[in-house]
Amino acid sequence: MKHWLATHRVDLHKTHGDFIGCRMNSKNSGRLEACSVKFKEMSKGDKVVVCSRSADTIFGCYEISSDGFALIDDPEWGSAYCYKINLQMKREPYPSFKEFKSEFKNSLEFVKDSEGWEGSSVGWIREISKGDFDLFNTYLTMPI
């Protein structure tokens, strides 16, 4: 089992909060494929923290409950490579991603390893340690 941190647009999360997805595009053969190689490394049973950096929001911690599948020409999502996700932990109102990073910056491995950290806020995925995933769970259970 792997642990992941994935960003998602707020509007997409509202339309399909039970999916995580990345855009698909047509490769040279004309076949649609996921734009993100990392995204296709995810698998059923993995854990994923879903957030929006642009909206400074942590939606929650989820478990991937399906194999990857193609969603073609969806009215809101277009064509996307998706996984079904089941919510494991969240806090409302949604907590701040920036505050989380600030509070746990001395404990987080992915913040110390800044490779790709300030990249795109949409469709960004990276594998994180179980320890970092557990810190997200801790943060989501802290009193407001």
Side-chain angles (χ1 to χ4, degrees):
M1 170 184 14
K2 293 182 178 179
H3 299 83
W4 302 92
L5 175 63
T7 61
H8 219 299
R9 287 187 358 215
V10 174
D11 60 327
L12 296 179
H13 187 74
K14 285 181 181 178
T15 59
H16 282 299
D18 58 340
F19 290 173
I20 186 78
C22 82
R23 285 181 235 139
M24 294 177 71
N25 62 15
S26 183
K27 301 295 182 188
N28 292 334
S29 64
R31 234 173 4 136
L32 284 175
E33 293 184 18
C35 292
S36 169
V37 173
K38 279 280 186 205
F39 197 82
K40 289 190 78 175
E41 292 177 16
M42 299 170 82
S43 62
K44 188 175 179 178
D46 285 358
K47 307 286 185 177
V48 59
V49 177
V50 181
C51 63
S52 169
R53 289 196 319 230
S54 60
D56 187 29
T57 300
I58 301 172
F59 295 120
C61 296
Y62 299 79
E63 181 174 341
I64 297 173
S65 60
S66 75
D67 293 325
F69 62 94
L71 186 65
I72 305 297
D73 296 328
D74 182 81
E76 282 93 21
W77 283 41
S79 294
Y81 188 82
C82 299
Y83 296 94
K84 183 148 177 52
I85 54 175
N86 288 329
L87 180 65
Q88 304 290 300
M89 174 72 62
K90 76 174 182 176
R91 183 172 85 194
E92 291 196 50
Y94 292 133
S96 165
F97 188 61
K98 289 177 185 174
E99 287 178 21
F100 168 79
K101 275 187 5 182
S102 178
E103 183 155 343
F104 291 99
K105 68 182 173 190
N106 294 324
S107 304
L108 289 165
E109 293 174 37
F110 77 88
V111 172
K112 293 174 189 162
D113 166 18
S114 63
E115 177 188 335
W117 173 242
E118 295 303 332
S120 167
S121 64
V122 176
W124 181 83
I125 179 115
R126 73 177 297 154
E127 188 174 354
I128 60 174
S129 69
K130 181 183 183 319
D132 283 356
F133 184 85
D134 290 344
L135 287 174
F136 277 100
N137 271 316
T138 297
Y139 184 64
L140 293 174
T141 59
M142 292 172 69
I144 299 174

